[in-house]
C-alpha cells in the first residue's frame, strides 16, 4: 500500500512539473510546432545493447545483493525446544552474493516493447545462472556461516519505464518497476550443511523465492537503467541555437505510447533573449505575432527509426527572431563592405574607362559629384514561411533606401519596396541538427521614388541582382550555418537521414546504429569509450 502511494505521489509530482513547464510556454489548445516520433524499429538497437551489457556484467560477477531477514515463527518454535530463554531472540538469515559460477549466454535473449498508454519495457528472458553466495544464520547457539550455490533457470526480468519532466527541467526516462519471474530457484546446500540446517532449509528456500526481486533487480537497475534513461528521451526543455536564439522543446501534453511508436508533441517555437532596464537584465521573450497552425502528422510507420515533423511555425519563429535582431537588413557602403573592388563601383565619379555608379547612372554623377553611394535595406514585416511539396519559400518584404555620401553630409536620392523570395537549399540532418543554405531565388522591386533620372524599377532590379550575386547570397547562405538543434531523443550514431519538404511541414527521418556495431569505416575507427557504456558505481 505504501509503495502504491509513493508511485501515485511521484506521478503527481511529475505531472505538476510537466504542467508547470508547459504553462510557461503555451496556453490551452496550442498546436505543436514540431512532433517527434520514436518508432518501434529504433528499440531493436537498445535491445541489442542491453543484451550485451547483461552478458558483460554477468561475466564479471555483476549480480550483487545482500539480503537479510528473520526466519518464520515456525522455525523459531522448532528451535525453542533447544532453548530455554527464547522469548526475545529471532533466528536471522543473511545471504550475500560472492561470484557467478555459470551464466548461459546462448539461450539468453533481450527485447524491448512499447506498453500502450504507459511507457516502454525491457525484458530479459531465459536467464539461466548459478552463483556462489555466502550465508550466515544467527542462532542462540551462535552463528553458522558458509557458502552455497544459488541457481535459477528460465528466469525472466522485466523493467518498466515511464517518462516525465524532472525538477531540473529535463525530459527523463526512469524506472517504475522491476518484475522477476523465476523458475527452479534453489539454494544447493552441501550434504554437511543440509544436515546441520535441516530445520531451516525449507524456510530459507521460501525466503529466497519471496525475495528474488531483491536479489536480481538492484543489479539490473544499476546496469541497465542508466543506459536507457540517457539514451532514450533524455533532453532539456529548450536548447541554445546560434547567437541569441533558443528553441523550445517543452511538451504540450504527456508522452504518447502506442503499439508502434512513441510520440512527443513539442511547443516548438524559437524565442529570443532580450535585455531590459538600467541593469540590462536578461529576459526570455516568447512573444510571437502569430499562433501555431494545426500539425497533422502521418500515422503510418515511415519505416525509419526516428521521425521529426516540423511545421512552418518552428521555422517562422526562428526567422522572426532573426529579423528582430536585424539579420535580414543590409548596408552596402565603404564602411560596411569588406570588398575594395566593390567600393570602387559605389563612386559617383571614376576615371576614364572605369565603371562605377556614376557611369551607370550619369545623372547621379552630375547631381552628386565626388560622392559615394550608400544602399540600405530593412525589413518592414517579419519573414513568412510557406511549405509545399519539395519546396520551402521564405517571403521577405523590405524597404530600400539609397543615399549619396558627400564629405560630411548624406542625401537620400531613392526609396523603393522590394519583395524577395528566399529558398532553403541543400537541407541535411546530422547529429540531430538541421542544416541548410538560404538563397535569394528572385525578387521584385516596386514603388520606386527617385530624384535621379534613369533610375527606375528596371535599372534598380539590375543593380540589386548584381549585388545579390556579389554579396547578398554569400551572406544569406551563412544565416543557418550553425543549424537548428532538435532534441536528442535517441542518442545513438546516425547512419542515414532524409529531409523532405511536404505540404505545411518539413519531414526528417533518420536511422541509427550502436557505435561499436556501425558498418562505416569512420565509426569502426572510433576507439573512444562511450560515456553511456560506463556506469559509475
Amino acid at each position: 500500500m505504501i509503495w502504491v502511494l509513493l508511485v501515485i505521489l511521484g506521478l503527481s509530482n511529475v505531472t505538476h512539473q510537466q504542467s508547470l513547464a508547459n504553462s510557461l510556454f503555451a496556453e490551452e489548445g496550442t498546436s505543436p510546432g514540431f512532433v517527434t516520433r520514436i518508432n518501434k524499429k529504433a528499440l531493436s538497437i537498445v535491445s541489442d545493447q542491453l543484451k550485451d551489457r547483461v552478458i558483460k556484467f554477468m561475466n564479471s560477477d555483476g549480480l550483487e545483493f545482500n539480503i537479510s531477514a528473520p526466519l518464520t515463527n515456525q522455525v523459531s518454535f522448532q528451535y525453542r525446544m533447544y532453548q530455554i530463554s527464547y522469548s526475545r531472540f529471532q533466528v536471522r538469515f543473511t545471504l550475500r552474493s560472492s561470484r557467478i559460477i555459470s551464466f548461459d549466454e546462448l539461450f539468453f535473449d533481450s527485447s524491448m516493447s512499447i506498453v500502450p498508454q504507459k511507457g516502454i519495457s525491457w525484458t530479459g528472458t531465459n536467464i539461466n545462472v548459478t552463483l556462489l553466495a555466502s550465508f550466515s544464520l544467527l542462532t542462540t547457539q551462535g552463528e553458522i556461516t558458509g557458502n552455497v550455490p544459488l541457481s535459477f533457470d528460465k528466469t525472466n526480468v522485466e523493467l518498466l519505464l515511464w517518462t516525465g519532466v524532472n525538477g531540473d527541467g529535463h525530459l527523463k526516462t526512469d524506472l517504475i518497476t522491476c518484475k522477476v519471474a523465476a523458475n527452479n530457484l534453489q539454494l544447493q546446500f552441501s550434504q554437511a550443511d543440509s544436515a546441520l540446517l535441516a530445520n531451516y532449509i525449507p524456510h530459507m528456500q521460501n525466503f529466497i523465492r519471496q525475495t528474488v526481486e531483491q536479489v536480481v533487480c538492484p543489479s539490473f537497475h544499476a546496469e541497465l537503467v542508466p543506459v536507457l534513461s540517457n539514451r532514450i528521451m533524455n533532453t532539456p526543455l529548450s536548447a541554445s541555437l546560434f547567437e541569441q536564439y533558443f528553441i523550445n522543446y517543452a511538451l504540450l501534453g504527456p508522452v504518447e505510447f502506442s503499439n508502434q511508436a512513441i510520440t512527443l508533441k513539442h511547443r516548438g517555437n524559437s524565442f529570443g533573449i532580450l535585455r531590459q532596464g538600467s541593469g540590462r537584465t536578461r529576459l526570455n521573450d516568447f512573444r510571437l505575432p502569430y499562433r501555431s497552425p494545426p500539425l497533422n502528422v502521418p500515422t503510418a510507420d515511415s519505416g525509419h527509426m526516428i521521425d521529426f515533423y516540423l511545421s512552418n511555425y518552428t521555422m517562422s519563429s526562428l526567422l522572426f527572431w532573426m529579423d528582430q535582431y536585424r539579420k535580414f537588413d543590409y548596408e552596402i557602403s565603404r564602411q560596411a563592405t569588406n570588398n575594395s573592388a566593390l567600393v570602387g563601383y559605389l563612386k559617383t565619379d571614376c576615371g576614364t574607362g572605369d565603371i562605377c555608379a556614376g557611369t551607370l547612372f550619369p545623372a547621379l554623377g552630375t547631381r552628386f559629384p565626388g560622392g559615394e553611394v550608400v544602399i540600405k535595406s530593412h525589413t518592414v514585416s517579419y519573414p513568412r514561411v510557406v511549405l509545399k511539396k519539395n519546396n520551402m519559400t521564405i517571403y521577405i518584404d523590405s524597404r530600400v533606401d539609397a543615399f549619396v555620401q558627400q564629405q560630411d553630409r548624406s542625401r537620400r536620392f531613392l526609396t523603393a519596396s522590394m519583395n524577395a523570395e528566399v529558398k532553403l537549399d541543400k537541407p541535411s540532418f546530422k547529429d540531430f541538427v538541421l542544416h541548410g543554405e538560404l538563397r535569394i531565388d528572385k525578387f521584385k522591386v516596386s514603388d520606386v521614388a527617385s530624384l535621379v533620372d534613369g533610375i527606375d524599377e528596371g535599372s534598380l532590379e539590375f543593380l540589386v541582382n548584381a549585388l545579390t550575386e556579389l554579396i547578398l547570397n554569400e551572406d544569406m547562405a551563412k544565416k543557418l550555418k550553425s543549424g537548428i538543434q532538435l532534441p536528442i531523443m535517441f542518442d545513438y550514431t546516425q547512419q542515414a537521414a532524409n529531409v523532405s519538404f511536404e505540404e505545411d511541414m518539413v519531414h526528417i527521418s533518420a536511422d541509427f546504429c550502436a557505435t561499436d556495431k556501425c558498418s562505416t569505416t569512420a565509426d569502426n575507427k572510433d576507439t573512444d569509450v562511450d560515456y553511456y557504456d560506463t556506469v559509475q558505481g
Side-chain angles (χ1 to χ4, degrees):
M1 184 67 183
I2 294 177
W3 181 85
V4 173
L5 180 61
L6 288 174
V7 170
I8 292 174
L9 289 174
L11 292 176
S12 175
N13 188 42
V14 166
T15 303
H16 170 71
Q17 291 165 354
Q18 184 158 310
S19 174
L20 179 64
N22 291 340
S23 68
L24 297 174
F25 306 110
E27 57 188 313
E28 193 76 19
T30 301
S31 300
F34 71 91
V35 172
T36 304
R37 285 188 60 175
I38 304 172
N39 298 311
K40 190 175 180 180
K41 179 181 178 182
L43 299 183
S44 61
I45 296 177
V46 190
S47 174
D48 290 343
Q49 184 184 19
L50 296 184
K51 180 177 181 177
D52 293 342
R53 191 159 193 86
V54 171
I55 292 173
K56 182 178 179 180
F57 83 76
M58 282 293 192
N59 288 331
S60 59
D61 299 326
L63 193 62
E64 299 179 358
F65 58 88
N66 185 349
I67 55 176
S68 179
L71 294 187
T72 67
N73 290 332
Q74 292 175 323
V75 173
S76 301
F77 175 77
Q78 293 172 357
Y79 192 75
R80 196 184 323 186
M81 300 182 343
Y82 301 93
Q83 283 296 323
I84 299 173
S85 58
Y86 171 72
S87 57
R88 295 188 179 180
F89 186 81
Q90 284 185 314
V91 177
R92 192 166 193 84
F93 178 59
T94 300
L95 194 68
R96 301 181 184 87
S97 59
S98 178
R99 61 184 176 84
I100 292 178
I101 299 172
S102 66
F103 172 65
D104 191 345
E105 299 180 14
L106 183 62
F107 289 98
F108 170 67
D109 201 7
S110 167
S111 63
M112 289 202 70
S113 61
I114 303 173
V115 183
Q117 282 77 55
K118 289 187 178 181
I120 56 176
S121 71
W122 173 82
T123 304
T125 55
N126 289 327
I127 300 175
N128 303 322
V129 64
T130 300
L131 57 91
L132 187 66
S134 62
F135 71 89
S136 68
L137 186 70
L138 187 61
T139 72
T140 54
Q141 293 178 328
E143 185 178 18
I144 303 172
T145 62
N147 294 313
V148 58
L150 170 63
S151 64
F152 38 87
D153 302 329
K154 297 181 181 178
T155 295
N156 298 339
V157 178
E158 181 183 14
L159 305 180
L160 179 62
L161 301 103
W162 290 0
T163 296
V165 178
N166 283 358
D168 63 355
H170 278 68
L171 185 68
K172 192 71 178 289
T173 302
D174 290 316
L175 179 68
I176 292 299
T177 185
C178 171
K179 299 178 181 179
V180 179
N183 185 53
N184 195 26
L185 187 63
Q186 292 291 330
L187 290 168
Q188 301 171 0
F189 289 102
S190 67
Q191 187 173 4
D193 286 340
S194 295
L196 181 63
L197 304 170
N199 291 333
Y200 306 103
I201 287 179
H203 304 285
M204 294 177 182
Q205 299 282 17
N206 186 54
F207 166 71
I208 196 65
R209 292 189 189 98
Q210 291 177 348
T211 58
V212 64
E213 289 181 351
Q214 297 178 39
V215 171
V216 174
C217 287
S219 294
F220 278 79
H221 185 177
E223 294 288 344
L224 303 190
V225 172
V227 176
L228 286 164
S229 62
N230 283 301
R231 295 280 189 170
I232 303 178
M233 292 180 286
N234 177 25
T235 188
L237 295 184
S238 66
S240 173
L241 299 182
F242 33 94
E243 300 182 6
Q244 302 95 343
Y245 321 117
F246 295 80
I247 186 168
N248 183 1
Y249 302 152
L251 302 179
L252 293 180
V255 179
E256 299 176 8
F257 297 93
S258 66
N259 286 321
Q260 298 300 321
I262 303 167
T263 303
L264 303 97
K265 297 179 179 179
H266 306 268
R267 180 70 176 91
N269 63 302
S270 296
F271 57 93
I273 298 294
L274 301 182
R275 293 184 182 273
Q276 295 186 359
S278 58
R280 306 293 287 171
T281 305
R282 289 167 60 89
L283 297 172
N284 292 349
D285 195 329
F286 304 99
R287 295 171 301 173
L288 288 172
Y290 44 81
R291 298 173 64 87
S292 53
L295 179 60
N296 299 313
V297 303
T299 57
D301 190 342
S302 68
H304 298 281
M305 294 182 179
I306 304 292
D307 290 294
F308 286 102
Y309 298 93
L310 280 70
S311 72
N312 57 5
Y313 179 74
T314 293
M315 304 299 297
S316 295
S317 61
L318 173 59
L319 296 173
F320 171 85
W321 283 107
M322 293 175 72
D323 179 64
Q324 294 294 297
Y325 282 95
R326 300 299 183 188
K327 297 303 179 182
F328 297 107
D329 293 355
Y330 289 96
E331 177 178 330
I332 299 173
S333 64
R334 174 184 290 275
Q335 291 75 23
T337 303
N338 186 24
N339 187 321
S340 58
L342 182 62
V343 169
Y345 287 112
L346 298 176
K347 295 180 179 181
T348 58
D349 295 310
C350 54
T352 305
D354 293 335
I355 298 176
C356 62
T359 57
L360 292 174
F361 305 105
L364 184 64
T366 302
R367 186 158 186 170
F368 303 105
E372 288 186 353
V373 174
V374 176
I375 300 174
K376 297 181 180 181
S377 73
H378 65 273
T379 56
V380 295
S381 66
Y382 54 84
R384 293 172 293 117
V385 177
V386 176
L387 290 163
K388 298 289 185 181
K389 186 71 174 177
N390 301 323
N391 185 289
M392 174 176 167
T393 303
I394 303 164
Y395 295 91
I396 301 177
D397 297 333
S398 300
R399 174 188 170 99
V400 179
D401 295 285
F403 305 81
V404 170
Q405 184 70 44
Q406 289 178 297
Q407 298 179 350
D408 59 347
R409 69 172 184 169
S410 178
R411 296 187 62 185
R412 181 167 56 188
F413 68 88
L414 177 144
T415 64
S417 297
M418 184 173 71
N419 303 321
E421 295 183 16
V422 178
K423 302 292 186 182
L424 181 65
D425 285 345
K426 302 178 182 178
S428 63
F429 185 71
K430 179 63 177 175
D431 297 332
F432 290 90
V433 178
L434 175 63
H435 295 276
E437 294 182 3
L438 295 179
R439 173 182 56 84
I440 299 174
D441 183 54
K442 56 185 177 181
F443 56 85
K444 176 65 177 176
V445 174
S446 61
D447 302 325
V448 177
S450 174
L451 300 177
V452 176
D453 293 336
I455 300 182
D456 54 18
E457 292 180 4
S459 58
L460 188 57
E461 284 188 356
F462 173 81
L463 176 61
V464 172
N465 186 64
L467 294 175
T468 297
E469 294 296 324
L470 290 171
I471 298 178
L472 300 184
N473 264 338
E474 181 180 354
D475 179 74
M476 188 70 73
K478 301 174 183 177
K479 297 295 186 189
L480 298 179
K481 185 178 180 180
S482 299
I484 300 173
Q485 175 71 62
L486 295 176
I488 304 174
M489 290 294 181
F490 192 70
D491 197 3
Y492 287 89
T493 301
Q494 180 181 312
Q495 265 196 322
N498 181 64
V499 181
S500 62
F501 300 130
E502 300 178 8
E503 193 72 27
D504 296 327
M505 72 175 71
V506 179
H507 179 200
I508 303 169
S509 57
D511 291 300
F512 301 82
C513 60
T515 301
D516 58 345
K517 296 185 178 180
C518 294
S519 58
T520 63
T521 304
D523 288 332
N524 288 336
K525 289 181 179 179
D526 183 8
T527 58
D528 292 339
V529 176
D530 195 312
Y531 170 80
Y532 297 126
D533 290 338
T534 304
V535 178
Q536 302 298 321

